[in-house]
């Protein structure tokens, strides 16, 4: 009975914590949700019970946050619609297993749970190619607190977030008043003071340092092609012609034009005539576009820079592919079962590019990101620092409610982490220019066709996180987890003796 009660409470808390993410942005509600989740896990009396309670909370959290995952299955309802509920259930329940591990480890001490869950979220971002969507850190996207990602990164900020949420339970565990009642008011006060400190520190980080001069003017092109029409032979040309028209509009000082992911519904080796038209519309201004291409029998989701001669001066092949979206793991086995990726139109999907690299553009050296690659904080680590981040994406797959806005928030964090501006061209939106502090300078709203000319801001001084990455946070979490476990074991032995 207790397990059922705690699991139900945990599920409600997990759902509340999810409201901190876009499109809601209710970070105070999210903190309360995480705090109640911490309480539910702390009340568990066995590892098994704590794991199940934590799993229930994680399942609800991911079910709400990742509800957009059903949208790709609804593009072709007749073929894939039946899979939609199963996709959400299995994804939410599967990701929640990381939370269950944290509950199993953290039973008995809420601080141990907070550290374990922060570590589990880091594991979630790396295991099986990783899926670091909906990190608890992202509840701060619309606040100055996001600036802390420039120092400790999103995994470090996730740890801080969980620690803050666990404060009331920590205070409750530490002792009671003389009348025997728990110090609940002190825990709430501790949260308020800590959050106020984070806001102040975030504002200070935003104001500190210098910013280089602007990099130039970019034109973002948003065709707003519905996913079910994007590859329709009778409709695809409409969107290409629309983008050519937007590109050919008068360009007062524009240095670069950017089209979204797979903007061209043709393979690169068959696109010479259309590339010539695009170059003519550009009038000497290079155009970045997404396109598919084949090389030695392998299909790639690519980004190209089209020069004034109609040739691709730069080609980048997407490295971090979407499992079950752009390729099927163990494709031949899955193919025998009738499973095919949604994005691929033949074979078993796309092949990854050889390596992540920078590309040269009139605005400077850019780190190219194709859609899904922007959700990984460590993407591009080890390369020279870019002048800006350049994302082309097709968020039509994500629907219109939450997915595109959560994707945008993650882009804002990437800008903060590296201290460089970020520009993104999205098929249906949100296309945007983001400055090095994570503020959206200008944007084309979701579901609108058009173009936007914006001055790309400069970059800030190199960030601490950009230089050290995630390894120090991983070591800190591991050491803290070890020390807490040892201390807890010694306390248990001491009480037993």
């Amino acid at each position: 009975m207790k397990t059922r009660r705690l699991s139900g409470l945990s599920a409600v808390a997990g759902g509340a914590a999810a409201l901190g993410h876009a499109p809601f942005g209710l970070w105070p509600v999210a903190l309360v949700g995480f705090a109640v989740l911490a309480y539910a896990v702390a009340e568990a009396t066995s590892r098994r019970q704590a794991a199940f309670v934590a799993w229930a909370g994680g399942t609800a959290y991911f079910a709400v946050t990742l509800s957009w995952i059903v949208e790709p299955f609804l593009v072709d309802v007749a073929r894939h619609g039946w899979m939609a509920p199963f996709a959400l259930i299995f994804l939410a329940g599967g990701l929640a297993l990381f939370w269950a591990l944290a509950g199993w480890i953290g039973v008995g001490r809420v601080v141990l749970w907070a550290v374990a869950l922060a570590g589990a979220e880091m594991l979630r971002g790396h295991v099986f190619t990783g899926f670091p969507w909906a990190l608890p850190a992202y509840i701060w996207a619309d606040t100055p607190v996001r600036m802390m990602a420039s120092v400790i990164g999103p995994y470090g900020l996730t740890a801080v977030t969980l620690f803050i949420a666990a404060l009331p339970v920590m205070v409750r565990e530490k002792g009671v008043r003389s009348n025997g009642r728990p110090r609940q008011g002190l825990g709430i006060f501790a949260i308020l003071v800590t959050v106020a400190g984070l806001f102040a520190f975030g504002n200070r980080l935003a104001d500190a340092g210098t910013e280089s001069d602007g990099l130039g003017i970019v034109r973002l092109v948003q065709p707003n092609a519905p996913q079910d029409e994007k590859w329709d032979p009778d409709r695809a040309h409409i969107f290409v012609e629309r983008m050519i028209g937007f590109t050919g509009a008068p360009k007062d000082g524009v240095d670069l034009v950017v089209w979204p992911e797979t903007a061209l519904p043709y393979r690169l080796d068959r696109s010479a005539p259309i590339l010539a038209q695009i170059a003519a519309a550009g009038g000497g201004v290079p155009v970045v576009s997404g396109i598919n291409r084949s090389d030695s029998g392998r299909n790639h989701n690519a980004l190209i820079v089209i020069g004034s001669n109609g040739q691709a001066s730069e080609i980048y092949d997407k490295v971090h592919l979407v499992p079950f979206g752009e390729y099927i793991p163990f494709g031949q086995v899955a193919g025998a079962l009738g499973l095919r990726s949604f994005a691929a139109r033949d074979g078993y999907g796309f092949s990854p590019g050889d390596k992540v690299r920078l590309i040269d553009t009139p605005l400077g050296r850019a780190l190219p990101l194709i859609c899904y690659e922007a959700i990984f904080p460590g993407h591009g680590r080890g390369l020279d620092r870019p002048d800006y981040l350049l994302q082309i994406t097709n968020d039509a797959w994500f629907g219109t409610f939450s997915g595109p806005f959560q994707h945008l928030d993650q882009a804002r964090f990437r800008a903060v982490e590296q201290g460089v501006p970020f520009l993104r061209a999205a098929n249906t939106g949100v296309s945007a220019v983001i400055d090095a502090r994570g503020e959206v300078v200008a944007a084309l709203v979701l579901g609108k066709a058009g173009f936007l000319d914006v001055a790309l801001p400069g970059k800030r001084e190199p960030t601490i996180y950009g230089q050290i990455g995630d390894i120090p946070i991983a070591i800190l979490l591991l050491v803290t987890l070890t020390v807490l476990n040892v201390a807890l074991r010694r306390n248990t032995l001491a009480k037993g003796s």
Side-chain angles (χ1 to χ4, degrees):
M1 182 64 70
K2 182 177 181 180
T3 299
R4 185 181 301 176
R5 178 177 61 82
L6 289 178
S7 297
L9 179 64
S10 180
V12 172
L19 299 181
H21 297 283
F24 307 103
L26 302 176
W27 62 266
V29 176
L31 282 183
V32 172
F34 282 122
V36 175
L37 180 61
Y39 167 79
V41 175
E43 286 293 296
T45 54
S46 69
R47 291 190 183 276
R48 181 176 179 179
Q49 187 179 65
F52 188 80
V53 169
W55 178 83
T59 299
Y61 174 82
F62 291 116
V64 174
T65 309
L66 304 179
S67 59
W68 54 263
I69 199 67
V70 304
E71 296 290 344
F73 299 90
L74 303 181
V75 173
D76 188 348
V77 176
R79 293 179 59 192
H80 304 126
W82 65 273
M83 300 182 188
F86 297 100
L88 181 58
I89 291 170
F90 285 121
L91 180 63
L95 294 178
L97 291 175
F98 289 95
W99 289 36
L101 175 62
W104 186 85
I105 293 173
V107 63
R109 284 292 183 273
V110 71
V111 65
L112 192 62
W113 165 84
V115 175
L117 185 53
E121 285 294 88
M122 182 173 279
L123 282 177
R124 180 167 70 87
H126 294 85
V127 174
F128 301 126
T129 76
F131 187 65
W133 197 293
L135 293 175
Y138 297 151
I139 69 171
W140 305 109
D142 293 325
T143 76
V145 179
R146 70 171 181 275
M147 290 301 301
M148 288 189 62
S150 66
V151 179
I152 58 177
Y155 297 115
L157 185 51
T158 288
V160 170
T161 302
L162 296 173
F163 179 83
I164 292 171
L167 279 174
V169 185
M170 291 182 197
V171 172
R172 184 174 180 269
E173 287 179 346
K174 286 297 180 181
V176 297
R177 296 191 185 99
S178 58
N179 60 8
R181 294 180 181 177
R183 303 176 183 270
Q184 295 171 340
L186 183 59
I188 295 173
F189 177 75
I191 283 186
L192 295 176
V193 171
T194 306
V195 170
L198 291 181
F199 270 72
F201 185 48
N203 280 319
R204 184 172 180 179
L205 288 172
D207 294 337
T210 59
E211 187 174 292
S212 65
D213 295 334
L215 302 178
I217 298 177
V218 61
R219 171 170 293 180
L220 301 179
V221 173
Q222 185 169 296
N224 195 35
Q227 192 57 44
D228 59 349
E229 298 180 12
K230 182 175 171 59
W231 299 98
D232 185 338
D234 297 326
R235 301 281 298 171
H237 69 93
I238 296 174
F239 308 113
V240 174
E241 291 168 1
R242 181 180 294 171
M243 288 184 286
I244 290 175
F246 291 155
T247 301
K251 292 179 280 293
D252 185 12
V254 171
D255 300 293
L256 182 69
V257 178
V258 184
W259 291 17
E261 179 188 15
T262 56
L264 293 172
Y266 323 104
R267 296 193 183 279
L268 180 58
D269 58 353
R270 304 173 187 172
S271 299
I274 197 68
L275 295 186
Q277 292 183 48
I278 294 170
V285 177
V287 178
V288 172
S289 179
I291 193 171
N292 292 342
R293 76 182 195 96
S294 297
D295 182 23
S296 302
R298 303 172 69 198
N299 299 321
H300 297 284
N301 185 354
L303 173 151
I304 61 173
V305 180
I306 306 166
S308 58
N309 59 358
Q311 301 294 315
S313 61
E314 291 274 10
I315 300 176
Y316 167 73
D317 296 322
K318 186 176 183 180
V319 172
H320 212 137
L321 301 177
V322 182
F324 301 101
E326 291 175 306
Y327 78 100
I328 296 287
F330 308 106
Q332 292 182 344
V333 176
L337 299 176
L339 296 177
R340 295 290 189 273
S341 71
F342 292 105
R345 280 160 298 286
D346 54 12
Y348 297 111
F350 292 102
S351 297
D354 294 331
K355 62 180 180 179
V356 181
R357 66 181 185 85
L358 303 183
I359 62 172
D360 292 316
T361 76
L363 300 177
R365 304 203 74 195
L367 175 65
L369 303 163
I370 301 180
C371 191
Y372 183 67
E373 291 180 322
I375 77 170
F376 296 95
H379 190 82
R381 185 157 317 276
L383 301 176
D384 292 337
R385 189 177 185 228
D387 294 308
Y388 68 102
L389 304 176
L390 168 61
Q391 183 193 23
I392 59 172
T393 185
N394 176 23
D395 289 2
W397 285 111
F398 301 156
T400 59
F401 180 65
S402 61
F405 303 107
Q406 292 173 10
H407 205 196
L408 175 65
D409 279 350
Q410 291 173 87
R412 296 170 67 188
F413 265 79
R414 301 297 86 83
V416 170
E417 291 156 12
Q418 301 303 321
V420 300
F422 191 117
L423 66 85
R424 69 192 312 259
N427 170 27
T428 56
V430 179
S431 298
V433 170
I434 303 165
D435 69 16
R437 294 174 176 81
E439 292 287 349
V440 177
V441 175
L444 282 166
V445 298
L446 189 68
K448 176 182 178 181
F451 67 89
L452 187 66
D453 293 348
V454 188
L456 186 63
K459 59 183 180 180
R460 307 185 77 200
E461 297 172 351
T463 64
I464 294 175
Y465 175 73
Q467 297 175 77
I468 67 174
D470 295 314
I471 292 179
I473 293 297
I475 293 174
L476 179 61
L477 290 174
L478 184 60
V479 170
T480 304
L481 199 61
T482 302
V483 170
L484 288 173
N485 264 306
V486 170
L488 181 61
R489 185 173 298 179
R490 286 180 176 176
N491 288 339
T492 302
L493 291 175
K495 290 179 180 179
S497 61

